[in-house]
Amino acid sequence: MPRLAAFSLAGQVVDRHGTKRVFRIASVLRALVVVAAAFILPTQASGMGATITVMALAAITGVVTEFSYIAAETAGATASKDAGDRAHRVQSVLLGIDQTATLAGPALAGFLLHWTGVTGTLLTMAACSLLGALLAPWHREPRLVPPAAPALAGLRTGWKTLVSLPALAWLITGLTVSNLATGFLQAAAPVIVVQHLGQSSAAVGVIWSAAAAASLLAVAACRFAIDRLGLWPAGAASAAVAALAGLAVSQAGDYTHFLVLIAVLMAGEGGMTVVLRTLRSHLIPEPVFGATLAVTILVMLLPFPLAGILVALTPAAAIGHVLTACAVLQAAGLTAAFWRLRREPAMRATRTAPPSGAPQPQ
């Protein structure tokens, strides 16, 4: 909840103060919090004190990380605008970096915990945060700086901008519906793998590692597909792959098929993410990019807590049926979104400009 709440303010802060300043401040704050935890935790025995410390560490670092995330995404959008019709290449590289870190991060954390313990792991995290702050490069900042305003004003500005961009709004709608199925699958995977398929809990981690690797390959392939075919064909193909894999995974009868189908599903999601990020960087006006980005992220994250609640309320024997229903909803949502987007100029042109009707800061 603290991380979700941070988005309402992070976008507006980035729009006002610039990406480099926000990124550096957030990175330094995260390093300080992590260093403090590294010294506090060894003094506490396992119990309520350690639990409170870890929970506070997760909440505070989560909040500041969302500020640095919005700053980094805004900087990536600026680079994409500068790249013109090669924006999708910039976004595919950025997403490839994200996926590589997702794949390597847990492995590095396990290695550090084994060989250096909690303190060494936390100090390494702090060093990475400080290194990120030091290496943050200079880049062109937005020329218009909106005045200070309450966090809700930033959300209103972002929402108005989003609804004024039909292509982006439809794509966000389709992906939000899709995220309900993806979130349910992620939350239900331990139950399915352990109880239904008879595997260990470690096998669940193998699935998501394979999914991250497949998504990484799909991101690279999507770059070339957009080069040759354009945004809509690449996005529609990725949506079809995700929808078909989602329908098939609910019928998987053994672990191998389950793993492969989830990897294919996440590959399709990876392709659609490249399309989303490219379209987002083209269409959202630069002075309100942070606020609008925060709104799009909030909308797309809403299905995940709902999916977790749905898994908690569903008996283990009925999870397969609910997963099938979510997959059908996912396929319907993606089909409707991309059918509506087939005639959108923003999905056909290689270079799009923000529409004149998009709201600008006062």
Side-chain angles (χ1 to χ4, degrees):
M1 292 304 297
R3 293 180 69 175
L4 287 175
F7 283 117
S8 63
L9 182 60
Q12 186 180 3
V13 170
V14 169
D15 286 337
R16 177 164 178 78
H17 296 288
T19 57
K20 182 177 179 179
R21 181 184 300 177
V22 173
F23 184 87
R24 282 187 165 175
I25 292 175
S27 297
V28 171
L29 285 176
R30 181 171 55 238
L32 292 175
V33 171
V34 171
V35 167
F39 285 99
I40 293 172
L41 277 174
T43 66
Q44 296 177 327
S46 59
M48 183 61 68
T51 299
I52 292 174
T53 301
V54 172
M55 294 288 284
L57 173 67
I60 297 172
T61 57
V63 167
V64 297
T65 295
E66 302 310 350
F67 279 82
S68 61
Y69 173 74
I70 295 292
E73 288 293 299
T74 304
T78 300
S80 297
K81 288 180 183 294
D82 292 342
D85 59 5
R86 295 178 299 170
H88 61 281
R89 299 185 182 184
V90 175
Q91 289 298 329
S92 66
V93 170
L94 293 176
L95 188 56
I97 294 171
D98 288 347
Q99 293 295 330
T100 301
T102 300
L103 195 59
L108 177 60
F111 175 84
L112 289 171
L113 283 170
H114 180 74
W115 291 105
T116 68
V118 172
T119 300
T121 303
L122 291 174
L123 290 177
T124 303
M125 292 169 58
C128 288
S129 292
L130 291 176
L131 187 62
L134 290 173
L135 296 180
W138 181 90
H139 57 272
R140 177 171 60 84
E141 298 278 19
R143 289 183 295 274
L144 298 177
V145 179
L152 289 179
L155 288 178
R156 285 195 296 268
T157 299
W159 179 256
K160 289 179 181 178
T161 306
L162 177 61
V163 298
S164 72
L165 305 170
L168 184 61
W170 273 100
L171 184 57
I172 293 293
T173 300
L175 291 176
T176 300
V177 174
S178 177
N179 280 348
L180 178 62
T182 304
F184 187 88
L185 183 60
Q186 289 178 356
V191 178
I192 295 172
V193 171
V194 176
Q195 296 189 22
H196 294 186
L197 302 179
Q199 301 293 318
S200 68
S201 57
V204 181
V206 174
I207 288 176
W208 298 115
S209 294
S215 182
L216 187 60
L217 293 174
V219 166
C222 191
R223 167 185 170 179
F224 295 102
I226 295 173
D227 271 336
R228 288 159 178 75
L229 303 173
L231 280 177
W232 188 87
S238 298
V241 169
L244 292 174
L247 291 169
V249 76
S250 63
Q251 308 301 320
D254 59 73
Y255 176 75
T256 301
H257 286 94
F258 190 72
L259 184 150
V260 171
L261 288 170
I262 287 183
V264 173
L265 169 62
M266 297 312 294
E269 294 271 356
M272 288 190 291
T273 303
V274 175
V275 174
L276 168 65
R277 291 167 67 128
T278 303
L279 191 66
R280 199 168 58 190
S281 66
H282 280 329
L283 291 181
I284 300 176
E286 206 170 349
V288 292
F289 187 90
T292 310
L293 174 64
V295 169
T296 64
I297 293 173
L298 277 173
V299 171
M300 292 179 64
L301 285 179
L302 286 177
F304 286 97
L306 178 61
I309 294 172
L310 190 58
V311 170
L313 296 177
T314 302
I319 280 181
H321 301 296
V322 178
L323 183 58
T324 300
C326 289
V328 171
L329 187 62
Q330 176 188 41
L334 290 175
T335 299
F338 278 93
W339 180 260
R340 175 62 178 77
L341 288 169
R342 74 192 189 283
R343 299 191 185 279
E344 283 288 341
M347 295 292 286
R348 294 292 183 180
T350 56
R351 174 62 171 163
T352 56
S356 58
Q360 299 292 330
Q362 299 299 316

